[in-house]
Amino acid sequence: MGIYLNPSADGFASIMKTGDYVDKTGLITYMNAVLNSSRNMLCSSRPRRFGKSYAAQMLSAFYSKGADARDLFAHLRVANPPEETKEKEKEWYNKYRNNCDVLFWDMAWFISNPQNIEDTILNLQRDIGKELREAFPDCVTEEVVSLPEILLTISVKTGHKFLIIIDEWDALFREAPENTELQKTYIQLLRALFKGIQVSRFLCGAYMTGILPIKKYGTQSALTDFTEFTMLEPGPLAPYVGFTEDEVKKLCTGHHMDYEEMRRWYDGYYFDEIGHLYNPNSVIKAVFCGKYSNYWTQTETYEALKIYIQSNEFGVQDVILKLLAGEKEKIDTTTFSNDMVTFATKDDVLTLLVHLGYLTYNAETKEIWIPNDEVMEQFISTVKVMGWGSVVTALETSEKLLQA
């Protein structure tokens, strides 16, 4: 059991202790189905406070050889599959539970610790490499510092393959958006870990979480072997991005809360695959506090939104005015470069706001809108600070008329 190699299940155990855990272990079932296949690398991107770290900790707790998670999962969906798929899923469950060599790290941790952010990639390979040498003595010499080379050498000598889980994979792009050299170094490491003919020799699977999809260079993804699931195209992982309608209704019933009020505050995100989707952090906070309020946007100031609409890049403010009035807007998401600084059109800025959770998107109609009252409050607070006097007056008048 280590910090990065085969960690314990403590993180997921603490989540379970809250008593209001919404079962998302179907994600494990999906992961079981693709391990050791040509589709064994997944990247799931979604906004802040949408359960990214919870999912990563759940996967680590289930697969890690350093954990004993039998009791944690015994009553959950992954251990009790439906009758029609029971035989195959039970086989996967028994085969993989706490039986994989897991490497699990949080990129935000490595960024926050070094005195110089330039040292992030060096420190990451040094610290994880140190644990690997201790766990597999006599396999790798001290001279070998490249993490992919260390993993390949261990795998060749021992036959072990690794499941790599990276939480907040894009934190470096968000914290150092202008440092293109550091970004290139990072992408080179990821390519060495996840791309090439040697990778299948040491990798049984990979799962990355982030806010942004994988960075594009030109029109191509930097890591083409990953299957991406985003706020634009969640695919089969749609049920695990947030809370579904049925899950929220069950929580409301169990805690004697008004579902319609919950819907007004936190509904508004929408996926064709499952329909309406709720912000999980806000729903759980409302249940815990017994009060509907603006929980999600309290975790970040209006400055985060203000920076993208203040400059009126390509006429973004005109679109924001329409959205504040309750209208929808068609956008083209295809030119977005998957970073926070490269914008060629207003649609690129608006696509970023979808990934950040400030807007929601309908893949069928290609339309965006402000999802719910919680996020609408954030937009209103932002335009007030920006001094959109006439807009604020109109909004306040509309609120008075609505109340009347």
Side-chain angles (χ1 to χ4, degrees):
M1 184 189 303
I3 299 173
Y4 311 108
L5 176 63
N6 290 327
S8 72
D10 289 353
F12 185 62
S14 67
I15 295 168
M16 295 291 291
K17 284 182 180 178
T18 63
D20 283 312
Y21 175 71
V22 174
D23 191 341
K24 295 294 183 179
T25 58
L27 175 61
I28 297 174
T29 301
Y30 184 88
M31 197 74 192
N32 286 341
V34 300
L35 280 184
N36 294 302
S37 76
S38 60
R39 298 182 290 111
N40 64 344
M41 289 183 263
L42 314 181
C43 182
S44 178
S45 57
R46 55 186 108 156
R48 292 177 300 107
R49 308 301 181 190
F50 265 70
K52 297 186 297 297
S53 296
Y54 283 8
Q57 290 179 71
M58 176 186 73
L59 292 174
S60 177
F62 180 81
Y63 291 108
S64 170
K65 286 182 178 178
D68 182 3
R70 180 191 298 271
D71 293 341
L72 284 175
F73 291 98
H75 67 288
L76 298 177
R77 159 67 175 82
V78 67
N80 303 279
E83 198 61 40
E84 58 270 22
T85 57
K86 185 173 183 177
E87 184 176 351
K88 176 55 69 176
E89 290 188 28
K90 271 292 189 181
E91 178 186 342
W92 289 336
Y93 178 82
N94 293 324
K95 178 180 180 180
Y96 291 124
R97 184 182 55 78
N98 299 133
N99 199 33
C100 294
D101 282 305
V102 171
L103 277 179
F104 176 30
W105 71 85
D106 176 2
M107 276 306 299
W109 166 265
F110 281 103
I111 289 171
S112 62
N113 277 321
Q115 293 182 342
N116 188 342
I117 197 170
E118 301 282 351
D119 297 331
T120 300
I121 307 307
L122 178 65
N123 292 347
L124 184 154
Q125 295 190 87
R126 180 200 64 203
D127 294 352
I128 297 175
K130 181 173 181 285
E131 278 200 16
L132 287 165
R133 287 190 182 89
E134 291 172 353
F136 299 95
D138 304 322
C139 282
V140 188
T141 64
E142 292 290 337
E143 288 74 26
V144 180
V145 296
S146 164
L147 179 57
E149 190 174 349
I150 292 172
L151 293 174
L152 179 60
T153 303
I154 291 172
S155 185
V156 168
K157 291 186 177 181
T158 66
H160 286 254
K161 287 191 174 184
F162 297 86
L163 170 60
I164 298 179
I165 301 172
I166 306 177
D167 194 17
E168 302 283 1
W169 86 271
D170 59 331
L172 187 146
F173 286 93
R174 292 185 275 115
E175 294 298 323
E178 306 289 348
N179 194 332
T180 55
E181 286 305 311
L182 180 59
Q183 291 176 15
K184 287 178 181 178
T185 301
Y186 180 40
I187 285 293
Q188 286 172 355
L189 171 63
L190 294 179
R191 279 179 171 157
L193 284 170
F194 302 125
K195 193 173 178 64
I197 59 174
Q198 298 286 12
V199 169
S200 61
R201 301 183 69 179
F202 65 79
L203 191 73
C204 68
Y207 181 87
M208 300 197 306
T209 78
I211 292 176
L212 297 175
I214 293 172
K215 168 71 176 166
K216 288 182 184 177
Y217 289 97
T219 59
Q220 298 297 316
S221 168
L223 298 169
T224 53
D225 292 334
F226 270 84
T227 303
E228 290 202 71
F229 305 97
T230 72
M231 293 301 283
L232 301 178
E233 296 180 0
L237 298 197
Y240 316 119
V241 173
F243 289 168
T244 64
E245 244 179 345
D246 288 343
E247 289 166 346
V248 174
K249 286 179 179 178
K250 184 177 179 180
L251 282 169
C252 287
T253 300
H255 291 270
H256 308 290
M257 298 192 73
D258 184 350
Y259 169 71
E260 287 303 316
E261 190 70 4
M262 188 78 80
R263 182 187 60 78
R264 184 174 71 84
W265 270 95
Y266 310 119
D267 185 15
Y269 300 94
Y270 185 87
F271 293 149
D272 290 340
E273 293 84 352
I274 59 167
H276 294 269
L277 191 82
Y278 291 69
N279 181 322
N281 177 72
S282 298
V283 170
I284 289 297
K285 287 283 182 66
V287 166
F288 178 76
C289 298
K291 176 185 177 183
Y292 306 100
S293 186
N294 189 329
Y295 296 109
W296 177 62
T297 53
Q298 285 177 5
T299 63
E300 189 165 296
T301 68
Y302 62 81
E303 293 290 342
L305 179 57
K306 178 182 173 184
I307 193 172
Y308 297 110
I309 62 178
Q310 182 170 240
S311 63
N312 198 25
E313 188 90 18
F314 312 109
V316 169
Q317 289 182 9
D318 294 334
V319 179
I320 298 300
L321 288 174
K322 287 180 63 177
L323 300 178
L324 285 169
E327 298 182 39
K328 297 181 179 181
E329 175 83 359
K330 280 185 177 290
I331 65 169
D332 177 8
T333 63
T334 59
T335 60
F336 181 57
S337 295
N338 297 351
D339 64 34
M340 306 180 88
V341 294
T342 309
F343 305 119
T345 69
K346 73 176 185 304
D347 288 353
D348 292 343
V349 181
L350 296 168
T351 301
L352 173 61
L353 294 182
V354 172
H355 288 296
L356 294 176
Y358 289 110
L359 299 174
T360 190
Y361 175 76
N362 186 312
E364 184 175 348
T365 64
K366 313 296 184 187
E367 291 178 318
I368 55 169
W369 64 95
I370 297 174
N372 51 43
D373 282 9
E374 183 179 41
V375 181
M376 179 65 82
E377 276 196 4
Q378 185 76 347
F379 272 97
I380 293 172
S381 298
T382 302
V383 300
K384 282 182 178 179
V385 172
M386 290 171 59
W388 292 9
S390 59
V391 176
V392 173
T393 301
L395 289 168
E396 290 175 344
T397 302
S398 297
E399 180 65 21
K400 290 176 182 175
L401 286 171
L402 181 62
Q403 290 176 354

